[in-house]
């Protein structure tokens, strides 16, 4: 199982892949998995865009395979996947040997943060390793319905921002995705926000306070996020996304609580007198825009 560093476990990863009762996209009808005999991957909104790349250059093993033959619809059906990737050691080695070649080739043609993901898709396709595409293992983008937001939407409101939620939620009777992928920022525009880019670089030190966490009452507020620009879900956008507040509250509160749990564990082991005060506020978008680092990253004056 291969995951990204910005993943949080919401519950243990399943060992029995035969239990396919919740949210599976049946790429291979009737195919029963006792273990990952075929590769599996979480659905991502990659589509089949890579079929429009320079496949003659990137599919370096030739075009007589899925990398060269598939149309966009078929490419999405079998290869629109990202972490968690679940596959046998043999299949992973086969893909990895080509992935280290395809990813730089994709980046040279289409530079961006998704280059390595498209590189994986094309490396797998060159070896005809079609994936079972799963839609229930992860939540990440509150606007992506082919993630397991169904379980998060069903959580009682009083649990979402409860103190200690990252330690206690998996012990309740509620169904959960396996992972929360915190690649998106989440929060309320004017004050509370979580973004992996804004966690202080000195967070794992004895003297640095823990992250400040919002009160449970924040759940009823208007807040939301998309990518790293924190915005409000109001007006027509809010009406179109009826569960935006609930989903964003979960993302914000769970991430802050989970990071604090990691910091507490670090300080308990590595510090004689660690600072456990919850006072470190992550910068809002407005505050970020005033910093030299933000201006430099976004080519602002």
């Amino acid at each position: 199982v291969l995951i990204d560093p910005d993943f949080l476990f919401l519950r243990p990863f399943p060992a029995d892949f035969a239990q396919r009762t919740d949210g599976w996209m049946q790429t291979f009808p009737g195919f029963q998995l006792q273990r990952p005999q075929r590769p599996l991957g979480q659905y991502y909104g990659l589509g089949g865009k890579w079929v429009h790349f320079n496949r003659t250059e990137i599919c370096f093993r030739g075009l007589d395979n899925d990398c060269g033959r598939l149309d966009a619809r078929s490419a999405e059906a079998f290869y629109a996947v990202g972490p968690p990737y679940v596959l046998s050691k043999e299949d992973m080695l086969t893909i990895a040997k080509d992935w280290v070649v395809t990813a730089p080739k994709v980046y040279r043609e289409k530079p961006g943060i998704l280059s390595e993901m498209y590189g994986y898709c094309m490396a797998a396709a060159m070896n005809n390793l079609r994936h079972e595409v799963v839609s229930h293992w992860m939540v990440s983008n509150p606007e992506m319905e082919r993630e397991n937001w169904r379980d998060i939407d069903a959580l009682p409101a009083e649990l979402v921002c409860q103190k200690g939620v990252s330690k206690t939620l998996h012990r309740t009777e509620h169904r959960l995705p396996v992972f929360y992928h915190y690649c998106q920022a989440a929060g309320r525009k004017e004050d509370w926000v979580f973004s992996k880019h804004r966690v202080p670089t000195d967070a794992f030190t004895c003297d640095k306070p823990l992250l400040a966490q919002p009160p449970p009452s924040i759940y009823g507020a208007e807040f939301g996020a998309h990518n790293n620009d924190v915005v409000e879900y109001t007006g027509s956008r809010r009406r179109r996304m009826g569960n935006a507040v609930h989903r964003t509250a979960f993302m914000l509160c769970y991430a802050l609580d989970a990071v604090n749990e990691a910091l507490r564990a670090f300080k308990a082991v590595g510090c004689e007198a660690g600072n456990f005060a919850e006072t470190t506020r992550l910068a809002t978008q407005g505050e970020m825009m005033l910093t030299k680092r933000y201006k430099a990253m976004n080519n602002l004056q």
Side-chain angles (χ1 to χ4, degrees):
V1 180
L2 178 62
I3 63 176
D4 280 354
D6 54 353
F7 270 56
L8 292 171
F9 280 88
L10 301 181
R11 62 178 173 89
F13 195 78
D16 182 3
F17 293 101
Q19 302 303 313
R20 300 164 29 119
T21 59
D22 179 29
W24 286 78
M25 294 169 60
Q26 302 269 348
T27 307
F28 301 97
F31 183 69
Q32 296 298 313
L33 286 169
Q34 297 300 328
R35 59 195 189 116
Q37 297 158 324
R38 287 185 187 271
L40 302 93
Q42 167 67 39
Y43 174 82
Y44 280 70
L46 302 172
K49 298 183 182 71
W50 56 264
V51 304
H52 303 296
F53 297 173
N54 183 355
R55 290 194 274 182
T56 302
E57 168 63 21
I58 299 171
C59 304
F60 63 92
R61 293 194 183 278
L63 301 180
D64 188 22
N65 50 55
D66 280 357
C67 194
R69 288 192 300 255
L70 293 188
D71 59 18
R73 184 175 181 179
S74 297
E76 180 172 18
F78 298 121
Y79 296 107
V81 296
Y85 303 107
V86 179
L87 59 168
S88 68
K89 178 180 68 175
E90 293 76 17
D91 286 345
M92 175 54 82
L93 286 173
T94 296
I95 292 174
K97 290 175 182 177
D98 289 349
W99 190 9
V100 297
V101 179
T102 56
K105 287 177 177 286
V106 172
Y107 186 82
R108 283 193 289 271
E109 181 178 340
K110 301 285 185 182
I113 61 173
L114 299 181
S115 299
E116 52 89 12
M117 295 184 72
Y118 284 122
Y120 177 93
C121 299
M122 299 181 80
M126 269 199 300
N127 292 281
N128 298 315
L129 287 170
R130 296 184 175 187
H131 283 53
E132 180 88 0
V133 184
V134 180
S135 59
H136 74 289
W137 276 342
M138 182 192 77
V139 291
S140 177
N141 182 347
E143 296 186 36
M144 179 65 71
E145 293 302 331
R146 289 170 78 176
E147 297 175 357
N148 191 5
W149 287 110
R150 179 176 61 184
D151 287 348
I152 301 301
D153 291 345
L155 292 175
E158 63 270 16
L159 285 183
V160 172
C161 285
Q162 187 180 75
K163 193 70 174 292
V165 64
S166 66
K167 289 185 67 175
T168 60
L169 187 58
H170 71 281
R171 298 178 185 144
T172 69
E173 73 279 8
H174 301 289
R175 299 180 67 135
L176 294 169
V178 181
F179 297 107
Y180 166 24
H181 184 188
Y182 57 91
C183 56
Q184 310 275 347
R188 191 164 65 177
K189 188 174 184 179
E190 64 270 21
D191 48 18
W192 293 101
V193 65
F194 177 83
S195 169
K196 64 183 182 181
H197 303 290
R198 304 181 198 179
V199 176
T201 56
D202 62 347
F204 281 89
T205 59
C206 295
D207 295 334
K208 188 72 173 181
L210 304 179
L211 303 184
Q213 294 183 233
S217 60
I218 194 175
Y219 179 88
E222 293 271 355
F223 60 90
H226 183 68
N227 294 326
N228 292 320
D229 296 319
V230 180
V231 298
E232 294 181 78
Y233 286 112
T234 55
S236 61
R237 186 181 182 88
R238 170 71 187 280
R239 286 193 294 271
R240 182 168 60 86
M241 279 197 61
N243 293 319
V245 167
H246 186 88
R247 295 176 182 185
T248 308
F250 168 81
M251 294 168 68
L252 170 70
C253 296
Y254 197 97
L256 289 170
D257 195 80
V259 171
N260 274 349
E261 284 303 313
L263 295 174
R264 287 190 187 96
F266 163 77
K267 292 173 187 287
V269 173
C271 304
E272 292 186 3
N275 187 344
F276 291 89
E278 297 180 1
T279 57
T280 301
R281 290 286 292 269
L282 301 189
T284 65
Q285 187 71 8
E287 292 166 340
M288 285 286 290
M289 292 179 70
L290 299 177
T291 66
K292 292 181 179 179
R293 180 171 177 267
Y294 181 90
K295 292 178 179 179
M297 288 172 58
N298 293 276
N299 296 317
L300 301 176
Q301 297 297 320

